[in-house]
Amino acid sequence: MIGFELTPEQKALQEKARRFSQEVILPVAARYDRDGTFPLEVMEKAHGSGFFTPLIPKEYGGEGLGVLDNCIIAEELAAGCMGIYVSIFVSTLALYPIIKFGTEDQKERFLKPFCSKFSMASYCLSEFTVGSDPASMKATAIPDGDHYLLNGTKMWITNGGYADFYLVFATTDPGKKDKGIISLIVPSHLAGVSHGAPIDKMGQRASNTTAVTFKDVRVPGENLLAGEGEGFKKAMIALDITRPMIAVGAVGVARTAMELAIQYAKTRVQFGVPIARHQAIQFMLADMAKDIEAARLLTWKAAWLADQGAQNSKEAAMAKAFASDVAMRVTTDAVQIYGGMGYTLWHPVEKLMRDAKVIQIYEGTAQIMRLVIARQMLHEVGGIF
Ligand code: COS
C-alpha cells in the first residue's frame, strides 16, 4: 500500500516547523550569512521547540519521532536557511548512535541532560587528510587502564566550537583500517580538548565549522560507544539514517529558490510581458518543480525504509546524491532567472546557490554516494568477482 498523504500529526509538525522557519529563522538568515557569526539565540529556541532531539525516545525527554517525521520538519527549517538548519541537525547525527547503540548508562548520562537543558553535540569523523576514506583516519585512541588516551585532530566539525560533547571516531591501530576504529563520547570539558577558530566558508555561513583537537585526552572506558571492529560500521549506519535528513534539506533550499524564481518571473517584464510568459523561463520552472518533487519522494522513501528498520544505504545515497544535485541546479537556474539581479547581494538567490554547493560535498560527496549506490547494485546481482 502506498500513500502520500501526511498524517494529522505530521501535518502539525510541518506547520510548527514552517512557522518556526518563517518567524525565527528567515528574518535573521541574511544577517548571519553576511556576518558569518553563530545564531546561538536561534539554536536555543530550536532546542526549546524539540528540533534538536527529534529521534530521542520520550522516556529520555526527546520527541520520539521517526526519520520520516524528522525529514518533514527538516525541509521546512532548511527552506528558511540551510546553514541554520544544519547546525540544528548535526546533534541528531551525533546522538543517533547513542540512541541506537548506547548502554543504558550512556543514555542516562548523555541523552537525558541533552533534552532537559540547551545543549549541543558534534560528530567527529573527518580529518584534514581524511574525508571520503574514513577507514584511513589518523586520530588514535589507545587503551590505558580503564581509560582511552585520545590524540588527533578532527576537521570540518559542525558546531565544533559549541558542542557539550563530541562523538569521536579514532583508531586503536591505523594498520587495521576500518577494523581498528572505535567510537568514544567525549565531553568538551575534558582536559586536552580544544577547538580552532570558525572556518570562513563560501556558504552555510551561519553554521559553526571548526577543527577539534584532542591532546592526550583521558576518556573514561564507560564512554566507549563502539569497540574495535564496530566503530566504522556504526559510523556508516548513522550516516544511512542522516543522509535523508540532509537530502531533504537540499529539497528545502531548492524549494525556496523555486518560489523566489516564480515570484520574480511573474513581476519582471521583458519584451513587454512578464518573463514567466516566455517558454524558456517556463521550462526552467517546470524542471525545478519536477526535480524537487522527485528529490522529495526519493528522500521520503529512504526515510521510510529507515523507519521500517530496513537496510537503506542505497536509497539514502540516491536521495542525497539526487537532491543535492537538484539543489545546485535549481539554485543556479534561479540566479539565471533573476539575471544580473541574481548575481548581486541584493536578492537572496545568490545565498541559496552558495548554500547548495556544500550539500554535494558534506555527509558523503556526490561521488561517494554514487559509489555506495553502485556497490549495492552490484552486490544485489551477486557481486563483480
Ligand atoms: N552499514 C553497515 N555496515 C557497513 C555500511 C553500512 N552502511 N557500509 C559499510 N559497512 C561495513 C561493510 O559491510 C564492511 O564490513 P565487513 O568488513 O564486515 O564486510 C565494513 O563496513 C567496511 O566497509 P567498506 O569495505 O565498504 O569500507 P570502505 O573503506 O571501502 O568505505 C565508503 C566505504 C566509501 C562507503 C565509506 O568510507 C563512506 O561512506 N565514505 C564517506 C564518508 C562520509 O560520508 N564522510 C562525510 C563526513 S561525516 S559528516
Side-chain angles (χ1 to χ4, degrees):
M1 181 75 169
I2 294 178
F4 296 103
E5 187 66 26
L6 300 185
T7 64
E9 292 78 18
Q10 288 170 333
K11 282 184 186 159
L13 284 174
Q14 187 179 49
E15 183 48 38
K16 177 181 164 185
R18 187 171 294 163
R19 219 173 322 112
F20 187 90
S21 190
Q22 288 170 356
E23 292 172 8
V24 182
I25 296 179
L26 204 52
V28 298
R31 174 162 60 84
Y32 283 111
D33 172 61
R34 202 171 46 243
D35 299 350
T37 52
F38 190 60
L40 206 50
E41 33 118 18
V42 178
M43 296 299 121
E44 285 195 48
K45 287 179 189 160
H47 187 282
S49 296
F51 298 142
F52 272 62
T53 52
L55 302 188
I56 297 181
K58 286 190 172 162
E59 58 189 295
Y60 301 105
E63 306 306 304
L65 297 174
V67 179
L68 179 54
D69 297 330
N70 194 39
C71 282
I72 291 162
I73 293 171
E75 180 180 331
E76 300 308 319
L77 302 182
C81 175
M82 186 68 189
I84 292 179
Y85 162 63
V86 93
S87 303
I88 296 169
F89 149 83
V90 84
S91 288
T92 295
L93 175 60
L95 293 167
Y96 177 77
I98 304 176
I99 299 168
K100 175 90 175 156
F101 305 113
T103 62
E104 198 48 45
D105 167 65
Q106 289 168 348
K107 291 178 187 179
E108 287 287 331
R109 285 190 296 125
F110 293 102
L111 298 186
K112 272 195 177 163
F114 191 93
C115 294
S116 62
K117 75 169 188 23
F118 174 50
S119 313
M120 290 195 218
S122 295
Y123 186 84
C124 297
L125 182 69
S126 299
E127 300 176 0
F128 276 99
T129 55
V130 175
S132 292
D133 180 19
S136 68
M137 68 177 56
K138 310 268 186 309
T140 54
I142 308 299
D144 180 22
D146 54 0
H147 283 67
Y148 286 86
L149 199 60
L150 179 62
N151 276 289
T153 295
K154 293 292 175 177
M155 186 59 174
W156 314 118
I157 307 308
T158 304
N159 295 355
Y162 291 89
D164 295 278
F165 62 86
Y166 303 99
L167 187 68
V168 182
F169 295 86
T171 179
T172 55
D173 175 356
K176 291 185 180 168
K177 304 294 281 184
D178 61 289
K179 302 296 180 280
I181 293 171
I182 69 168
S183 176
L184 294 162
I185 308 167
V186 184
S188 56
H189 62 73
L190 290 187
V193 179
S194 62
H195 62 80
I199 297 166
D200 211 3
K201 307 188 297 294
M202 171 199 282
Q204 302 200 13
R205 291 171 52 75
S207 73
N208 172 261
T209 313
T210 73
V212 180
T213 296
F214 304 94
K215 186 156 176 21
D216 293 331
V217 180
R218 281 175 60 75
V219 185
E222 62 259 29
N223 287 13
L224 178 74
L225 186 85
E228 270 195 13
E230 289 300 314
F232 184 85
K233 285 184 189 172
K234 288 176 177 170
M236 294 299 119
I237 290 169
L239 292 172
D240 285 344
I241 297 297
T242 54
R243 281 177 183 151
M245 299 178 194
I246 289 296
V248 85
V251 172
V253 171
R255 191 185 88 193
T256 298
M258 179 181 71
E259 286 167 2
L260 288 166
I262 291 170
Q263 280 172 27
Y264 190 76
K266 282 172 67 180
T267 53
R268 169 76 172 175
V269 173
Q270 291 292 274
F271 303 105
V273 292
I275 60 172
R277 282 196 182 270
H278 299 304
Q279 204 175 48
I281 302 295
Q282 289 176 2
F283 282 6
M284 287 166 92
L285 295 176
D287 278 339
M288 289 179 179
K290 76 170 169 47
D291 289 351
I292 290 169
E293 185 76 13
R296 184 184 293 114
L297 292 178
L298 263 182
T299 301
W300 282 9
K301 182 175 176 194
W304 177 83
L305 282 169
D307 284 336
Q308 307 310 305
Q311 176 71 32
N312 75 335
S313 310
K314 185 178 74 178
E315 290 78 5
M318 283 178 170
K320 161 75 169 58
F322 189 80
S324 57
D325 289 350
V326 165
M328 198 65 247
R329 200 160 55 237
V330 168
T331 55
T332 306
D333 282 352
V335 169
Q336 191 69 21
I337 288 174
Y338 270 71
M341 292 291 179
Y343 201 65
T344 69
L345 305 190
W346 303 335
H347 294 279
V349 282
E350 61 82 30
K351 170 184 181 294
L352 294 167
M353 187 174 157
R354 287 186 286 106
D355 285 352
K357 184 59 215 174
V358 77
I359 314 176
Q360 292 177 309
I361 298 172
Y362 65 24
E363 201 86 358
T365 63
Q367 289 68 34
I368 289 293
M369 293 303 93
R370 284 159 173 84
L371 189 88
V372 171
I373 296 165
R375 279 189 185 183
Q376 184 63 33
M377 284 168 64
L378 293 167
H379 175 73
E380 285 166 10
V381 295
I384 42 175
F385 302 111

